[in-house]
Amino acid sequence: MSRSLQLNGSRGKRGFFALAAALGLLVVGPACDSGPIDVSERAAADGGTLPGPSLTAPTPRRGRVLGGERVDRIIEWPGERPAELPASELVGDMQPRSSEAIERSPVPVLVPPSMSEGASVMVGPSWFAFSGKQADLTVTVQGSSRAFVYPHIRAAEPTHTIRGRGGYLTRNEGIWVASWIEHGAAYSLELECATPFQGACADESMILALADELVFVGGAGPRDGGPR
Amino acid sequence: MSRPSRRHSSAVVALMLVSFLPASASAFEEFYAPAGQLVPGSGQGTADETVYAPGMRFPIGTGPAYPNSQVWGVGGSQGPGGSQCDAANYSYPWYDNYCETRSWDMPLCPSGVGHQGQDIRPATCEDSVHDIVASEAGTVTNIGSYSVYVTAASGQRFDYLHGSNVAVSSNQAVDKGQTLAKVSNEFGGTSTTIHLHYNIKQDVGGVGFVFVSPYMSLVRSYEDLMGLGNEAPQGPVDAVDCESIRGWAQDPDAPDTPIEVHAYFGGEAGNPDAVGVTLLADEYRDDLCDAIGSCNHGFTLAVPRSLRDGQPHEVYLYGIDTEGGDNAQLQASPGQFQCAPPPLPSGVRRLIASPEVLADWQLSTFWDMAKVDDASLQALPEGEPWPEQRLVVRAEDDDTWWVVDSGLRRGIDPTVAELWDIEDDEVQVWPADSVQGIPEGPPLRSERFLVAAEGSAIYMVDDDVCPPNDPLCVVGGTTSGGGDDDSGGDDSGTGGGGEHGGTDTNEVLPPSQDGADDGCGCRTSSAPATPLWILSFVSLSWLRRRRSRTTTKQPNKQMR
């Protein structure tokens, strides 16, 4: 008897729906090398009939995708208006390889001007990462154009306002973390103090100010004439 | 720190000995408490058994290791008095401490707040002795005062906190298993125990960047590290065709227990380009009862629509060892299939604006989506964007479920509800006149059919729906190409380019008459006047897609 697949999370267990096996009998590809265990000997010894699979074919089920489904976000690149042009002058203050990384970023790169001197921008196939240090502060920014989608995680209501948008604010081992969605991409900003829970890390005001300060410094731009 | 739960008490002694036994020791009790079972009194965990980082490397160089709470453990600020080096802190079973009580946002925790990662103690209570190693290959994207972040190519980020003797530098490429630092208690002068605080951070559809539970990823990677071996699972793949993928699997160490089967499409397990799915092999099969002494070990896996593209595809199947040993590839694996694309249903294509929409509607691009060429996609007229959030209602005096879509209510047959994973607890109960006041549209389809062309956005093939009183809405109209005002694209609320047609402004909807078709296949009813707030809510849920969505919320009162 089929059993519902287990799903996790606070919403409890759910069952995936069973697809109606209404497809044709097209069989493609090599048959299996060995079938089910040969039970004929045992059946003969028992003097009974050979057991076989149930007469009713089970309905094919879906499995849960391991590690989540990867889904590209639709990125809306900043436009041509003056306020949206990249603050490219900041790039010159950064580590040498940052300029080239910014040009390859699949996500609009946002950085805090106050932390850009000596900072570094790195990129991956679907992300960028900014890391900057000033005195005893470390600031990181991440942007992502590809999400993991899980069947047990649904849209959550934002709980804070970040850059005028709904987002989340948390503190992880003294490190402030703000996250939100902008330009269609997922962003995260983190503030770490050499002395946690004090000074700039005593409360959320500094990280919220940093979030408001973020400016667009460039990126690879839309692919194939996509939305801008 | 509380004692291990009763079910594990008899195992603790055995497990202490296991450390000294050969890896081929026979079956033993689990070394970890279930996901979400926190130390009593430390908060509300989440019973999330998802392995968010399959195939990762355990982040401490050698075992054994002891994930548990450093705050609620012996010597912790909330735990029993004593030394952090107390034997209770360095013993099995493990305890999850993701979502342990903290004050700040954690959207994936049941209370909405909590601890963001897992504390892990190394083999012994010694500072700066035990290696912290990279769980995945990637780039060191940050070295802070007491943090090291490594971002993998996938965008997944792994955080290693409180280490000393950092052995890597920013922007350095690292391999899986490469030493990053030593387990210590670096915390900028703040007192803490010797431990690794470990996070996994991802961009998750529906939420954005968030810390996910690392617990089961740690369990699985620890099993690999410690070589918890025993007899490997067995079983064959009976058949692979366009109807299904069928077979059975059994672990001889647990002969009566159905086991998981992992199927990888497009490569073997461990291939980063392969998509893996998990399925419990628990189907009853007569032929197995005598043959292997147990009946419930069959599986019948569907063929994903996204791979029904006329191309040949391989699928590799593995039986998953119940005790964390090597997972055996099933006999006759891999299989191959080559299936013709399914015919596109009739209708319009409705834009799925973001992963958040997929998440809220529980849609799957792997199972639900057909890949088509651009011409086939463009041949489908474009309709209203798919609703960003799923709103299901019923009248207080009626069991009929309705989904609210573009200002219309669309009936949901009970079997259709199951297809769409809609359950009782999601359905909002509204006053009857409020429900009746929403014009009725076409029923929710019995098939979730997503479609996309190479490099395009994702669409749902659906009936055409016309928001009430929308002069731009024309049934079967073509896309005007006009965009929204909010080209800034906040919150991925628009997705761009998804506007419904109606360049011909002469085709304005005729005034609706009682019970008459108002030109879009929708019917208005003679329901009593609907309270203004209900109309406003329904209108807003449609209008949100047409305006820049700036959500202003007051910060929550935080737990202290």
Side-chain angles (χ1 to χ4, degrees), chain A residues 1-3 5-6 8-11 13-19 21 23-30 32-37 39 42 51-54 58-67 69-74 76 81 97 120 122 125-127 129 131 133 136 138 140 142-144 146-161 164-166 168-177 179 181-184 186-188 190 192-197 204, chain B residues 47-50 52 54 104-105 107-108 115-116 140-147 149 151-155 157 161-162 171 187-188 190 197 199 201-207 209 211 237-238 240-244 262 264 275-280 282-287 290-292 300-302 308 331-332 336 338 353 355-356 358-360 362 364-368 389-390 418-419 421 423 425-426 448 457 486-491 494-496 551-556 558:
Chain A
M1 267 59 72
S2 294
R3 183 175 129 193
L5 291 172
Q6 291 190 356
N8 306 302
S10 58
R11 292 185 64 84
K13 298 184 179 178
R14 297 182 175 194
F16 275 105
F17 76 89
L19 289 178
L23 299 172
L25 296 177
L26 178 64
V27 176
V28 181
C32 52
D33 295 333
S34 58
I37 287 182
V39 297
R42 180 174 293 197
S54 305
T59 303
R61 292 179 289 163
R62 295 177 164 189
R64 181 163 42 92
V65 176
L66 292 165
E69 295 190 22
R70 306 308 314 279
V71 178
D72 286 328
R73 293 182 174 278
I74 300 175
E76 298 197 358
R81 291 176 289 184
R97 290 156 60 186
S120 183
M122 295 146 275
S126 61
W127 55 268
S131 178
K133 287 177 179 292
D136 63 346
T138 303
T140 62
Q142 280 177 283
S144 166
R146 187 175 295 163
F148 291 80
V149 178
Y150 297 96
H152 63 289
I153 298 178
R154 296 186 63 184
E157 279 299 314
T159 55
H160 283 80
T161 302
R165 300 163 175 82
Y168 305 95
L169 188 66
T170 197
R171 189 168 64 182
N172 168 46
E173 301 292 286
I175 302 170
W176 287 98
V177 184
S179 55
I181 291 177
E182 183 177 349
H183 303 301
Y187 286 94
S188 175
E190 299 189 23
E192 179 180 342
C193 299
T195 309
F197 311 111
E204 66 266 37
Chain B
D48 185 353
E49 297 183 350
T50 306
Y52 287 96
W104 292 92
D105 287 345
L108 303 188
H115 189 234
Q116 296 86 352
V140 178
T141 49
N142 175 61
I143 297 180
S145 300
Y146 50 92
S147 64
Y149 300 161
T151 304
S154 65
R157 197 184 82 184
L161 272 58
H162 307 309
N171 210 354
F187 201 5
T190 301
H197 173 96
N199 294 331
K201 193 175 181 190
Q202 292 183 350
D203 170 9
V204 174
V207 186
F209 271 115
F211 296 102
V237 180
D238 290 329
V240 177
D241 55 40
C242 292
E243 183 174 338
S244 64
H262 288 182
Y264 286 86
V275 176
V277 300
T278 181
L279 180 71
L280 191 64
D282 64 348
E283 289 171 2
Y284 179 88
R285 283 181 47 163
D286 290 329
D287 58 328
D290 284 341
I292 63 172
T300 306
L301 180 66
R308 296 177 181 271
Q331 282 180 294
Q336 275 198 0
Q338 184 171 1
E356 281 61 52
L358 287 173
D360 206 57
Q362 304 280 279
S364 168
T365 57
F366 184 68
W367 294 107
D368 295 326
Q389 291 184 338
R390 191 163 77 184
E418 189 176 354
L419 295 178
D421 295 318
E423 295 187 351
D425 57 358
E426 180 181 348
R448 310 172 344 173
D486 54 344
S487 56
D490 298 344
D491 295 345
T494 61
T551 305
T552 52
K553 301 247 180 208
Q554 294 302 315
N556 279 349
Q558 297 300 323

Side-chain angles (χ1 to χ4, degrees), chain B residues 31-297:
Chain B
F31 57 88
Y32 60 97
Q37 183 178 319
L38 310 186
V39 171
S42 67
Q44 183 183 6
T46 175
D48 185 353
E49 297 183 350
T50 306
V51 178
Y52 287 96
M56 79 170 204
R57 205 299 189 178
F58 190 77
I60 294 186
T62 55
Y66 305 101
N68 50 50
S69 173
Q70 71 92 23
V71 170
W72 268 266
V74 175
S77 62
Q78 302 294 322
S83 166
Q84 63 168 310
C85 298
D86 192 288
N89 291 339
Y90 286 84
S91 60
Y92 299 115
W94 292 6
Y95 279 95
D96 189 0
N97 77 328
Y98 177 79
C99 295
E100 183 180 271
T101 297
R102 297 293 192 279
S103 300
W104 292 92
D105 287 345
M106 272 292 285
L108 303 188
C109 290
S111 64
V113 295
H115 189 234
Q116 296 86 352
Q118 179 68 46
D119 298 329
I120 307 172
R121 302 184 203 261
T124 60
C125 187
E126 295 176 274
D127 184 13
S128 302
V129 166
H130 302 283
D131 288 341
I132 298 171
V133 302
S135 290
E136 285 287 1
T139 303
V140 178
T141 49
N142 175 61
I143 297 180
S145 300
Y146 50 92
S147 64
V148 175
Y149 300 161
V150 176
T151 304
S154 65
Q156 195 164 204
R157 197 184 82 184
F158 300 87
D159 301 348
Y160 311 85
L161 272 58
H162 307 309
S164 66
N165 303 99
V166 175
V168 292
S169 53
S170 182
N171 210 354
Q172 178 180 343
V174 296
D175 295 322
K176 181 190 286 190
Q178 181 170 339
T179 297
L180 303 175
K182 299 288 189 185
V183 181
S184 184
N185 59 351
E186 295 287 340
F187 201 5
T190 301
S191 174
T192 190
T193 63
I194 298 165
H195 73 284
L196 165 65
H197 173 96
Y198 182 73
N199 294 331
I200 299 177
K201 193 175 181 190
Q202 292 183 350
D203 170 9
V204 174
V207 186
F209 271 115
V210 69
F211 296 102
V212 297
S213 172
Y215 192 67
M216 291 308 297
S217 300
L218 290 166
V219 167
R220 294 292 171 244
S221 60
Y222 190 75
E223 290 169 342
D224 289 342
L225 176 70
M226 299 300 280
L228 303 178
N230 46 69
E231 209 168 340
Q234 63 178 11
V237 180
D238 290 329
V240 177
D241 55 40
C242 292
E243 183 174 338
S244 64
I245 300 160
R246 307 179 287 284
W248 62 268
Q250 182 197 43
D251 186 343
D253 298 308
D256 297 322
T257 303
I259 64 172
E260 283 191 3
V261 167
H262 288 182
Y264 286 86
F265 297 87
E268 297 182 59
N271 183 326
D273 296 325
V275 176
V277 300
T278 181
L279 180 71
L280 191 64
D282 64 348
E283 289 171 2
Y284 179 88
R285 283 181 47 163
D286 290 329
D287 58 328
L288 300 181
C289 300
D290 284 341
I292 63 172
S294 182
C295 312
N296 294 61
H297 297 279

Side-chain angles (χ1 to χ4, degrees), chain A residues 46-59:
Chain A
D46 289 345
T49 55
L50 190 68
S54 305
L55 292 176
T56 306
T59 303

